Amino acid sequence: MASFQLKKGADVFDCDVFGPVKKNGNQIGAWTTSKDNKIVINQTNGSPLTFDVTWKFNSDNHLCLSSGGNQIIDFHNVGNRPVCGARTAVLLTKPDKGAAFTFELRGEWDLDENHNLSFTINGAKSTLDGFIDDPLGGFVYHFRNKKDITQESLLAFVGKWQVNNSGAAAGALIMDFVYSREDGSEDKFTLPKSMIINRANNQLLYQYDKNNETFNIQIAGLLKISKDFEITYTIDRQVSGSGAERLTSTTFTLGAVFNKPNLSGDLELTIKKTDGTAGSTTLTIGGNFTAMLGANQLQVGYSFSQIRSGNTINTVFAFNGTLNIAHNGQVQFTFEKSASSQLSVSISAENIQLGSARANAALNLKTQDGKVVGIFGLFGVSF
C-alpha cells in the first residue's frame, strides 16, 4: 500500500493513502483533513493529532503533499488512480477512484485568460491546465493527468450564468458564472471570450480552442427578439441525475442594432454599448427574413426556430420600420431604431415582386415621382 510519513517530535506516523495510520507498525487511527486544510489523525484513544502541511498541484496536474518544506507524496505517482471532484466549491479527492476514502480541501478558485483554473490553499497557489466543457450548459472544469491522459477529473460547480457588467458596457456578451460556496456565499468565474449564438440551433454557445482542441459550453435557453432588436435569453434550469439543481435559470436582456447592408442571409445583431453605439460582439441567428401583413402596412420580419425539450419552437417577429422606394428606384427598409440616426437597407429584386397598384393600400409603395406600385410577394411570401 502507498503511504507517506508525518512526524511530531520523535514520533513517526505512517499514513496509508486510504486513511489508516500506523505508529511503530501498529494501527493507531486514521487520517483526514480539517476545514483549514490540516491533516488530522484521529487516534483510537480519542486524542486527535494535527499537522500543518502544504497542498499543491504540480505542472502535471498531480496533487502533491508537502511537510516541512519537503514533498512527501505525489498522489498520482504511487500506483493508484486518483480522481478529483467538487461539491459546493470544496475539492474532493479520492486517492483511488475505486476506493471509498475521500478527503476534502478548501481554497480560492480563479479562472485566467487562458482557461487555466487556479486553486489557492492557505496561500499556496496551484494552476490546473485543463478546459471548460459542458453540453448541458454548466461550468464543468476537466483536467487530465499529463503522464496518463486517460486519467481525467471533472470539477462541477453549481450556480448560475449572468452577464458581466463591464463586458456589457463595452458591447460584448461576456458571461460570469456565479457559483455557490459551502458557507452559502458566492464567487464567480468570468469567461475570457464573448458568447455567440450557435446558428444551427439558436442556443447560446461559448466556444474556444486550447492545445489544438475545441471546447464548448452549450447553454440551452429560450431566445426572444423584440421589434427594436432587444435580445432576451432565458437560460434553462438544469438538474443532476439525482435531481439536485446544478444550474439555476436566469434571464438577461441586451440592446442590439442591425448593421447589415441588406436583408439577406442570416440575421446579424451587434450588441449595443451603454452609449447606444455598436459594440464588439455580433450575434448571428439562423433563420430567414420574412414578411407579414400588418394593419396599415406590409411588415418586414424574421423567422427562426429552436429545439426545446425535443420540440421545434418557431418564432416570427416584425421589425420596427417602414418599406419605401429610394431615389435609385430600389425598394428598401428603413429602421426606426439603429446604430445611426437612420438606417436603410436594400431589398434585392429577387426577394420582392412588384406590379400594379393593389386595392389594399397596405400593399402599395409610392415611387419618388409619385407613382404607386403594388407588392405581390416579399421574401417568398405571396400577397
Side-chain angles (χ1 to χ4, degrees):
M1 290 286 186
S3 64
F4 56 91
Q5 287 189 337
L6 292 172
K7 297 179 181 180
K8 188 173 284 291
D11 295 328
V12 178
F13 301 90
D14 295 304
C15 304
D16 190 288
V17 293
F18 297 126
V21 178
K22 292 182 178 180
K23 177 184 173 184
N24 299 325
N26 300 311
Q27 185 166 331
I28 55 96
W31 70 272
T32 185
T33 51
S34 63
K35 287 198 172 183
D36 56 359
N37 303 308
K38 295 179 180 180
I39 284 186
V40 179
I41 296 177
N42 293 308
Q43 299 186 93
T44 53
N45 64 12
S47 175
L49 299 172
T50 60
F51 298 81
D52 290 317
V53 293
T54 301
W55 301 92
K56 288 192 73 173
F57 286 93
N58 66 16
S59 59
D60 290 320
N61 291 335
H62 293 185
L63 181 61
C64 300
L65 173 65
S66 297
S67 178
N70 298 310
Q71 181 175 304
I72 56 177
I73 192 170
D74 175 342
F75 284 91
H76 288 72
N77 200 31
V78 289
N80 298 320
R81 193 178 177 90
V83 63
C84 296
R87 182 178 61 236
T88 57
V90 175
L91 180 70
L92 310 177
T93 300
K94 282 188 170 187
D96 189 272
K97 64 181 298 184
F101 178 67
T102 303
F103 61 89
E104 301 177 349
L105 296 172
R106 293 162 174 82
E108 288 293 322
W109 299 96
D110 288 292
L111 184 72
D112 70 18
E113 61 183 11
N114 296 314
H115 300 93
N116 296 319
L117 188 68
S118 67
F119 189 40
T120 303
I121 307 173
N122 297 343
K125 182 178 180 179
S126 304
T127 299
L128 289 167
D129 183 4
F131 55 93
I132 318 160
D133 191 88
D134 187 14
L136 298 179
F139 190 100
V140 180
Y141 198 83
H142 305 238
F143 66 95
R144 299 164 179 156
N145 175 359
K146 291 187 178 181
K147 297 295 186 181
D148 180 358
I149 61 172
T150 66
Q151 297 183 16
E152 183 175 12
S153 293
L154 279 67
L155 307 178
F157 293 81
V158 175
K160 61 189 176 184
W161 291 105
Q162 65 182 27
V163 173
N164 179 273
N165 291 331
S166 297
L173 185 48
I174 303 294
M175 298 294 286
D176 292 332
F177 187 81
V178 180
Y179 62 89
S180 303
R181 287 174 163 160
E182 183 182 31
D183 62 2
S185 63
E186 293 181 332
D187 205 345
K188 68 179 181 180
F189 299 121
T190 298
L191 296 180
K193 293 179 57 180
S194 190
M195 288 278 182
I196 61 172
I197 295 289
N198 182 351
R199 63 176 303 279
N201 57 18
N202 291 319
Q203 303 280 346
L204 201 61
L205 176 67
Y206 185 74
Q207 188 173 74
Y208 69 99
D209 295 327
K210 183 178 181 181
N211 298 331
N212 299 315
E213 292 185 81
T214 299
F215 304 106
N216 303 281
I217 308 174
Q218 181 71 71
I219 304 177
L222 179 63
L223 174 65
K224 293 183 178 180
I225 305 173
S226 76
K227 62 181 181 179
D228 294 320
F229 303 124
E230 188 175 73
I231 299 170
T232 299
Y233 197 85
T234 300
I235 296 171
D236 291 347
R237 179 176 182 262
Q238 300 286 349
V239 297
S240 66
S242 65
E245 184 174 78
R246 65 190 297 267
L247 183 64
T248 302
S249 177
T250 52
T251 299
F252 65 84
T253 299
L254 295 170
V257 293
F258 187 99
N259 270 340
K260 289 188 71 170
N262 53 56
L263 297 175
S264 63
D266 292 325
L267 178 63
E268 296 179 9
L269 298 178
T270 300
I271 303 299
K272 286 197 296 189
K273 299 179 184 179
T274 50
D275 63 5
T277 60
S280 59
T281 297
T282 296
L283 303 178
T284 301
I285 296 93
N288 300 285
F289 288 95
T290 188
M292 58 206 78
L293 188 59
N296 301 309
Q297 64 176 351
L298 188 61
Q299 296 177 302
V300 171
Y302 196 73
S303 171
F304 67 91
S305 62
Q306 291 184 286
I307 304 297
R308 307 277 298 151
S309 301
N311 300 313
T312 300
I313 305 298
N314 296 310
T315 299
V316 181
F317 69 99
F319 301 160
N320 194 2
T322 56
L323 283 166
N324 55 83
I325 298 178
H327 289 283
N328 62 3
Q330 188 168 25
V331 178
Q332 63 183 14
F333 184 83
T334 300
F335 293 94
E336 288 193 13
K337 291 188 177 182
S338 64
S340 57
S341 58
Q342 188 176 66
L343 174 68
S344 296
V345 293
S346 61
I347 298 174
S348 64
E350 64 186 22
N351 285 325
I352 188 167
Q353 291 78 49
L354 300 176
S356 57
R358 305 292 300 273
N360 186 344
L363 295 172
N364 290 330
L365 295 176
K366 186 177 290 187
T367 65
Q368 293 295 318
D369 59 7
K371 181 182 177 181
V372 177
V373 296
I375 301 174
F376 287 79
L378 182 61
F379 298 116
V381 181
S382 299
F383 299 97

